[in-house]
Amino acid sequence: MPFDFDAIVIGSGAGGAAFAHHLAGAGKNVLVVERGKRPDVTRTPAAERQTLIDKEPYDDRPIEVNDTAARLYMGGVLGGGTSLFGAALIRPADDDFHPGKHYGPRLPRELWDWPITYDDLRPFYDEAEELFALAGTPDEEFAPLNRPRRLSADVLPFAPVNQKLMSANRAGGLRPFRLPLAIDTSRCARCDMCAGLLCPHGARKSAAHLLDAAAATGKLQLLVNTEVERLATLPGGRIEGVVVRPRDSQERKFLRARCFALAAGAIGSPALLLRSGIEARHLGRNYMMHYSPIAVGLFARSTGASETFVKQVGFADFYYGTSDCRHKLGLVQSLPAPGPLMLAKSGMKRWPRCALRFLRKRMLPLAGIVEDLPDPANQVFVKPDGSVGLKHRFSGFDIERGRALGLEMCRILRRAGALICSSRAFPSLEHVAHQCGTLRFGRDPDHAVVDADCRLFGQANLFVTDGSVLPTSLGVGPALTIVANSLRVARIALQAT
């Protein structure tokens, strides 16, 4: 039977879009199937209630997390998480690809080195930065992180509080840097609650932009609001096709392709494989998401955080630990001030609205990214009724490091003039920051689910291009690495089409 497409991509987030964009650019006929809809940014898209409380642009599936049903803050529209992310795209350190150097016996020996190195991805990081039109100042000190290379100098003006944050901490011996951001300054309105909300102006670059550009060539088709129910496998280890169903219909279609890319995320991708009857020892296991301590400083005067964009500063000084905690930690970056509804949801619901507005005007939050380690007990599974379950617990080691990084974040804020500062862990059931690990890549099927080319062991034409392939979670957000790796895999997949 003839093929319907050269490639079918399941999922429209960072990994799926980059893969599809490259294949379409090479002249292949590509279909992207996305479970969510194209977001409607005309309906007051920056409204805090509809976005962050009602979660309209987030995944609408209730997922059982540790035996409790929850709606997760996980992208559920075209573009996936990149339609809602914070736009900071950061290269990791060389040693992130060799986690055994810092974790040693805390990791099994087979995970001491990734199956690829930073140098293998270097040219694809360049390409990813260009695709997302990354803007920043490359002459700053990013060490021990790798410095970005393809940056536009057209950056957003610095909020005054961030100028103070940087100057005070440089005087204190730290090396803060301007976050590289995928934001078009000519269209940006500098919204105060960016990120977590849909961008009403199209200024924040997302995977959806890549897909729309590829679709304009006539080589890429998009199916939105469409569920992929299962993959169909031929004898001999090849995927023949996918069964898809529009979410507002019971009519199913069977679509065939030469190759397939699975990019539905570290929860969605293993769930689809499990529903399709595909088995592997580590499939769905080793789920990771960064442990993220939050520190909030309160200042005597307005910080501007309730009026303008403030997510602009990063610190990598504690990437490999502190004087009090000599373990690998990760990145620190500034955050927008939460809106009144999110402040109420976080434990301040009895506070009067005027008090919340007063606090918000004077606060500046920082977030830590603590690299959590893989644990087979942390897993995605499919229940008998077809719904998805997740088991996840942070280890005492994660919590200890998060506490240490929280103390350093408070010191950063106090140097900048915060009168009061407190830190807390933020691992709620609903937040799934930077999920990865559930289909990790490696050289041996006894220890990995996909090979070094991100091809599923035993399935010659099925590639995985989302964060689920990462065997450890890095000390930075994984989005840029996901895009870079997806571009690498797309070159390999061209040979299968």
Side-chain angles (χ1 to χ4, degrees):
M1 292 180 64
F3 293 107
D4 298 298
F5 299 93
D6 292 317
I8 293 176
V9 181
I10 303 163
S12 68
F19 181 94
H21 182 274
H22 184 79
L23 261 65
K28 301 299 181 180
N29 291 312
V30 182
L31 173 71
V32 176
V33 186
E34 167 56 47
R35 185 179 184 276
K37 297 179 180 180
R38 182 179 288 275
D40 180 4
V41 297
T42 64
R43 297 178 55 247
T44 57
E48 184 185 13
R49 177 169 294 282
Q50 77 179 58
T51 302
L52 296 176
I53 304 302
D54 298 337
K55 303 178 184 174
E56 287 187 11
Y58 290 90
D59 195 291
D60 59 3
R61 288 170 290 191
I63 292 178
E64 185 181 279
V65 183
N66 300 335
D67 303 319
T68 300
R71 280 277 311 282
L72 305 181
Y73 286 106
M74 183 169 65
V77 293
L78 184 69
T82 66
S83 288
L84 298 150
F85 77 148
L89 295 173
I90 302 175
R91 297 193 186 205
D94 287 20
D95 279 2
D96 281 318
F97 293 76
H98 306 285
K101 287 186 177 181
H102 296 276
Y103 296 118
R106 294 182 184 275
L107 285 175
R109 183 63 182 84
E110 60 270 10
L111 293 183
W112 280 18
D113 297 288
W114 283 28
I116 60 173
T117 67
Y118 174 80
D119 285 339
D120 293 326
L121 283 188
R122 187 189 302 272
F124 303 109
Y125 280 120
D126 294 350
E127 186 177 346
E129 289 169 352
E130 193 165 355
L131 277 178
F132 276 80
L134 208 59
T137 48
D139 55 339
E140 293 194 62
E141 180 58 72
F142 287 82
L145 304 176
N146 281 287
R147 180 178 281 120
R149 293 186 59 193
R150 300 290 180 90
L151 289 182
S152 163
D154 190 11
V155 296
L156 293 171
F158 238 19
V161 71
N162 286 331
Q163 293 280 14
K164 190 171 184 180
L165 189 69
M166 292 189 80
S167 61
N169 280 285
R170 282 176 174 161
L174 300 186
R175 298 167 299 174
F177 56 86
R178 182 190 286 267
L179 291 172
L181 298 171
I183 294 178
D184 180 350
T185 59
S186 68
R187 304 175 74 175
C188 179
R190 297 163 66 185
C191 300
D192 58 302
M193 285 194 286
C194 180
L197 306 171
L198 296 168
C199 180
H201 310 290
R204 193 174 62 220
K205 191 83 169 180
S206 78
H209 290 92
L210 302 186
L211 294 172
D212 286 341
T217 69
K219 288 295 183 180
L220 183 144
Q221 296 182 43
L222 283 168
L223 275 182
V224 298
N225 198 35
T226 300
E227 192 91 50
V228 177
E229 294 191 333
R230 64 180 178 85
L231 306 171
T233 308
L234 288 168
R238 288 183 70 84
I239 303 299
E240 179 186 16
V242 294
V243 178
V244 302
R245 176 182 59 80
R247 295 185 61 206
D248 54 6
S249 167
Q250 292 301 312
E251 183 181 351
R252 291 168 174 80
K253 291 183 179 179
F254 184 73
L255 300 174
R256 302 176 72 248
R258 289 182 171 84
C259 83
F260 301 82
L262 184 53
I267 293 176
S269 288
L272 179 58
L273 292 181
L274 291 167
R275 287 196 190 101
S276 302
I278 294 173
E279 298 180 355
R281 178 182 172 188
H282 291 282
L283 198 160
R285 295 186 177 274
N286 303 295
Y287 174 88
M288 290 170 280
M289 65 177 197
H290 284 137
Y291 188 84
S292 297
I294 303 291
V296 178
L298 292 178
F299 293 73
R301 293 184 174 85
S302 172
T303 62
S306 64
E307 301 157 7
T308 191
F309 180 82
V310 295
K311 184 182 175 179
Q312 297 177 303
V313 182
F315 296 82
D317 301 86
F318 313 112
Y319 207 75
Y320 292 130
T322 70
S323 58
D324 298 323
C325 182
R326 299 184 182 278
H327 298 291
K328 186 179 177 187
L329 300 177
L331 184 72
V332 172
Q333 60 185 23
S334 53
L335 286 181
L341 296 178
M342 287 300 285
L343 285 173
K345 184 175 178 176
S346 67
M348 305 173 73
K349 63 183 177 181
R350 296 185 182 277
W351 286 53
R353 185 63 62 90
C354 60
L356 295 179
R357 286 196 294 266
F358 179 88
L359 288 175
R360 188 167 183 262
K361 282 180 177 292
R362 290 159 178 78
M363 71 167 49
L364 185 68
L366 298 178
I369 295 177
V370 174
E371 181 178 21
D372 55 323
L373 299 185
D375 179 348
N378 291 334
Q379 68 174 118
V380 174
F381 59 94
V382 174
K383 300 168 67 178
D385 64 359
S387 63
V388 179
L390 173 64
K391 296 287 186 185
H392 181 262
R393 293 279 189 273
F394 286 110
S395 71
F397 182 55
D398 299 330
I399 295 168
E400 172 195 349
R401 292 178 295 143
R403 187 178 297 114
L405 192 55
L407 292 174
E408 295 298 339
M409 292 192 293
C410 284
R411 292 186 182 113
I412 288 171
L413 291 165
R414 289 193 186 99
R415 286 191 196 100
L419 302 177
I420 301 171
C421 186
S422 66
S423 65
R424 56 171 285 190
F426 203 56
S428 77
L429 285 180
E430 298 169 90
H431 290 82
V432 287
H434 309 158
Q435 52 183 290
C436 61
T438 50
L439 299 174
R440 69 188 185 198
F441 69 167
R443 299 184 180 89
D444 185 341
D446 286 339
H447 305 299
V449 183
V450 300
D451 66 17
D453 293 338
C454 295
R455 197 189 310 252
L456 196 74
F457 285 113
Q459 306 288 345
N461 64 337
L462 177 60
F463 299 87
V464 182
T465 62
D466 57 29
S468 61
V469 302
L470 307 185
T472 50
S473 63
L474 309 171
V476 299
L480 189 68
T481 298
I482 291 169
V483 174
N485 186 57
S486 180
L487 294 169
R488 177 186 73 92
V489 175
R491 267 71 170 183
I492 298 165
L494 278 174
Q495 302 172 18
T497 59

